[in-house]
Amino acid sequence: MPKLKSSRVRFENEEFEPERPLKKARTHSVATEQSLWAKSCSHRLGILPSGNLLLANSEQRQNIRPGGLGLFNLLPDSVLLLLLSTFDATNLYTLAGVSRAFFAYATHEALWKDLYVSRAEGVLDSWDGSWRYTYLRRFGGLSEKPTEGIRTPGLFSDELFQPALCSKTSLRPYFFPHPTRSRSTILKHRRADLDTDTFKDLYARTSKPVLITGALDTWPAYSTDLWSMEMLERRFEGVTFRAEALDCPFRVYNQYVQDCDEEDSPLYLFDSRFVEKTGGIMGDEYTPPETFGRDFFELLGPERPDYRWLVRPARSGSTFHKDPNGTSAWNAVISGSKGWVLFPPETAPPGVYTNDDESEVTSPLSIPEWFLTYFDVAWETYGPHAKRSENRGKMIIGVCGPGEVVYVPSGWWHLVVNLEESIAVTQNFVSENEVGITIPSGTRTYSTHHSLPSQLSNVLRFMNDKPDQISGFKSSLPPEEICVRFVKALQLAAPTPFQRASADFANKARSVARKRSVWDSLASPENERVVSGSAEGASRTSAFTFGFLVDDDDDDEEIGI
């Protein structure tokens, strides 16, 4: 197993040794660039990483934690911050006046962000430069004291320093290690040379991500300034958009974007209802590329799950995840640029841990943390020059610029980050083009063979096998009923694709039956059942199943999925 490496935060007075001269000049590696950046970054209060405590024998670097915290000094930082997270705003505000050390902990931005979100009822109606000031000025009740000049030199804490490091870490060198050349391994294809059949053969059926260039020339959102920051704020002045847990107008969100330098994970404007909120106007200004084929979730009409999002700003993004409900996705950049890191379905990215059915995912708290800690080992283990041939090329990275679209096949792990202030639109979809992924619990393999089940059949299997992971549906219907309605819609509006999906189920059922051991049959006889498609029948089983007839050379059989 490869040894994990992380970028080291240098001591404040540590000198960098000059590199030994070479015959040929070379640029700094990513690790060197980030070490230089880590040295130059600083915390607003003068807090240093805990390693600097080794140099705290001078008067200038006297450790203020023991005297400033008293008995609380016995608690490690993680426990102390967890304890402070249970305080209300009044107690936290009062504690900040006890000592300089307590001031540093009690003004930690993450604490005040949680307090604001818990009380704001989902609304951000103003921004005052920090979550603490925003909370105090909105909810009042606490007099504002002049604290701008307070500094806490002599406090050494990785927990408090980490957000400052992450907020000042440039991720661009990871994607552009050379000033004029990007580190790109994603396949690229010109839109003018990519029709539906070519896309299906080269990328959809082979489950390969691709970056499509020149894809948005016909979009008014791209070819005009309608989707510029200024125009969006002017056109939709009274509209609020969703930024994670908060709704805010573009005016307030723009204020936040321009003054959130201390945020290691800025609020990600990720609104699934931006078309409805703008009266359909923004929906008329872009068109889903026909290359990707028909989206079968359209058959559900207003009951379809969330599927399209408007995204921004710089440094924001999403940590490693798979798209919901077994869907594929496309992501189009209107302005700015987005960095992508992808891994195939069976390869969990370094630092990402899941349970067997991937219903629970554990990963670093922020995107910069993953890059600082895991990028180098990931690139060495799964990059194009990995030592083990079976891992070579599994890690795919690329940068999507204005007018370009990234296609993400069903089941692929991906991390996305805005390398600069960007506006993009993305949609999830399910079509018959893709081979999809194998869904049964515990399966971590994928294949590119054309005879594999279509993505449609695998989405149905996902909805059946993992009902607790179904997400984004606007109705309050139980997962069993959602699946039944989707099947009925397919039978009526897309009978041919549905029959092909039925055949896939029959083949899969025979394959599973052949692999089943005698012990499995004896130990779990309840699994050898055929259940009707009613919700009542589903309630008597551990997972919902429904049946339908399959036409083939054998007798008609009822297949449960």
Side-chain angles (χ1 to χ4, degrees):
M1 181 176 179
K3 184 179 179 181
L4 295 180
K5 298 189 301 184
S6 62
S7 298
R8 179 166 65 93
V9 179
R10 302 270 184 172
F11 296 141
E12 189 182 55
N13 62 348
E14 182 177 359
E15 297 295 333
F16 286 85
E17 295 182 5
E19 292 187 319
R20 184 174 298 175
L22 300 175
K23 293 181 180 179
K24 186 177 181 180
R26 65 175 183 179
T27 59
H28 288 305
S29 66
V30 169
T32 303
E33 292 285 351
Q34 294 304 339
S35 294
L36 290 168
W37 188 268
K39 185 184 179 183
S40 65
C41 81
S42 61
H43 192 281
R44 60 184 174 84
L45 298 179
I47 297 170
L48 295 173
S50 57
N52 286 265
L53 187 57
L54 297 173
L55 305 177
N57 55 353
S58 65
E59 293 182 2
Q60 292 79 14
R61 293 301 175 204
Q62 183 180 0
N63 184 11
I64 67 171
R65 194 180 195 276
L69 297 184
L71 290 177
F72 285 94
N73 183 55
L74 298 174
L75 301 176
D77 284 351
S78 58
V79 176
L80 178 57
L81 289 173
L82 181 62
L83 175 63
L84 295 184
S85 69
T86 65
F87 285 27
D88 61 21
T90 301
N91 288 328
L92 206 59
Y93 180 82
T94 303
L95 188 65
V98 172
S99 68
R100 284 188 299 152
F102 265 126
F103 178 83
Y105 288 96
T107 58
H108 188 48
E109 273 288 88
L111 298 175
W112 288 93
K113 182 177 182 179
D114 289 345
L115 284 173
Y116 183 92
V117 171
S118 65
R119 189 173 175 182
E121 298 181 346
V123 176
L124 180 65
D125 53 10
S126 65
W127 176 250
D128 294 288
S130 73
W131 289 107
R132 181 168 175 264
Y133 283 139
T134 301
Y135 181 97
L136 294 176
R137 292 177 184 175
R138 174 173 177 181
F139 300 113
L142 300 171
S143 60
E144 292 187 36
K145 299 178 181 178
T147 59
E148 290 296 330
I150 296 178
R151 296 293 181 268
T152 61
L155 188 59
F156 307 91
S157 168
D158 289 340
E159 294 278 348
L160 297 181
F161 186 81
Q162 182 77 0
L165 173 64
C166 290
S167 66
K168 295 176 173 64
T169 295
S170 172
L171 300 183
R172 194 170 183 83
Y174 291 101
F175 296 93
F176 294 92
H178 187 277
T180 60
R181 185 173 63 252
S182 67
R183 187 206 308 262
S184 180
T185 61
I186 192 170
L187 297 172
K188 295 184 179 181
H189 205 121
R190 291 177 63 245
R191 171 64 183 90
D193 303 327
L194 188 65
D195 56 25
T196 301
D197 290 336
T198 303
F199 167 77
K200 184 189 305 183
D201 292 337
L202 294 182
Y203 307 111
R205 287 180 174 172
T206 58
S207 186
K208 292 181 180 178
V210 62
L211 190 154
I212 304 172
T213 62
L216 312 183
D217 294 342
T218 61
W219 288 16
Y222 173 72
S223 58
T224 69
D225 66 347
L226 290 174
W227 282 31
S228 66
M229 309 297 182
E230 298 77 12
M231 284 296 293
L232 288 174
E233 180 178 338
R234 189 184 313 165
R235 296 170 67 200
F236 307 113
E237 182 178 1
V239 179
T240 59
F241 293 87
R242 194 70 171 176
E244 297 184 22
L246 300 169
D247 287 321
C248 57
F250 257 112
R251 173 185 56 80
V252 173
Y253 190 73
N254 280 338
Q255 293 173 355
Y256 169 82
V257 168
Q258 295 164 14
D259 191 16
C260 64
D261 293 340
E262 295 184 10
E263 289 272 75
D264 59 333
S265 297
L267 287 180
Y268 197 23
L269 196 154
F270 202 69
D271 198 315
S272 63
R273 300 187 62 250
F274 72 94
V275 172
E276 292 84 351
K277 289 179 178 180
T278 58
I281 294 176
M282 294 186 74
D284 294 335
E285 294 168 352
Y286 81 95
T287 305
E290 296 179 356
T291 304
F292 303 121
R294 184 180 188 182
D295 181 4
F296 287 116
F297 269 149
E298 290 179 353
L299 302 178
L300 288 174
E303 293 181 345
R304 71 164 301 160
D306 293 336
Y307 67 105
R308 56 189 175 195
W309 293 268
L310 180 71
V311 295
R312 58 174 294 206
R315 296 190 294 113
S316 66
S318 57
T319 56
F320 279 108
H321 65 284
K322 293 184 177 183
D323 282 322
N325 305 320
T327 57
S328 299
W330 56 263
N331 189 302
V333 174
I334 308 296
S335 61
S337 60
K338 302 172 76 71
W340 288 79
V341 183
L342 304 99
F343 288 86
E346 86 285 2
T347 304
V352 176
Y353 306 95
T354 72
N355 57 356
D356 287 341
D357 66 355
E358 296 179 349
S359 60
E360 297 180 6
V361 178
T362 302
S363 62
L365 296 179
S366 70
I367 292 173
E369 281 183 283
W370 186 86
F371 278 92
L372 286 168
T373 308
Y374 295 105
F375 181 90
D376 287 341
V377 68
W379 188 247
E380 290 177 6
T381 307
Y382 298 107
H385 305 296
K387 292 181 180 179
R388 301 180 62 176
S389 59
E390 63 269 26
N391 289 339
R392 203 166 294 153
K394 284 189 173 183
M395 179 179 178
I396 296 176
I397 71 172
V399 176
C400 186
E404 299 176 340
V405 175
V406 166
Y407 161 70
V408 183
S410 171
W412 275 70
W413 292 99
H414 52 286
L415 174 153
V416 193
V417 60
N418 292 326
L419 300 179
E420 57 188 304
E421 190 159 311
S422 307
I423 290 184
V425 61
T426 180
Q427 289 197 188
N428 291 85
F429 65 96
V430 51
S431 75
E432 197 183 15
N433 292 339
E434 290 91 348
V435 298
I437 58 174
T438 49
I439 292 300
S441 174
T443 301
R444 294 271 182 116
T445 61
Y446 82 113
S447 174
T448 59
H449 197 277
H450 285 213
S451 63
L452 281 179
S454 68
Q455 187 201 13
L456 173 59
S457 66
N458 281 307
V459 167
L460 290 172
R461 191 174 296 279
F462 179 96
M463 296 173 74
N464 171 75
D465 291 354
K466 301 183 178 182
D468 59 318
Q469 297 182 40
I470 293 177
S471 63
F473 284 86
K474 299 176 180 65
S475 68
S476 58
L477 293 173
E480 311 91 79
E481 182 63 24
I482 291 172
C483 192
V484 168
R485 293 193 180 193
F486 187 38
V487 167
K488 289 181 178 179
L490 287 169
Q491 289 174 318
L492 291 174
T496 300
F498 180 74
Q499 286 299 318
R500 282 196 284 262
S502 302
D504 290 339
F505 282 128
N507 294 332
K508 185 64 180 178
R510 295 189 188 97
S511 174
V512 171
R514 284 193 297 270
K515 294 178 181 178
R516 189 172 180 81
S517 68
V518 175
W519 172 254
D520 289 334
S521 300
L522 293 175
S524 305
E526 71 276 9
N527 289 335
E528 300 293 329
R529 65 190 185 280
V530 177
V531 184
S532 68
S534 68
E536 180 182 358
S539 66
R540 297 193 299 269
T541 67
S542 59
F544 168 71
T545 60
F546 63 86
F548 51 87
L549 296 180
V550 181
D551 294 326
D552 57 13
D553 295 334
D554 301 327
D555 294 335
D556 289 345
E557 60 181 311
E558 191 174 28
I559 304 297
I561 67 165

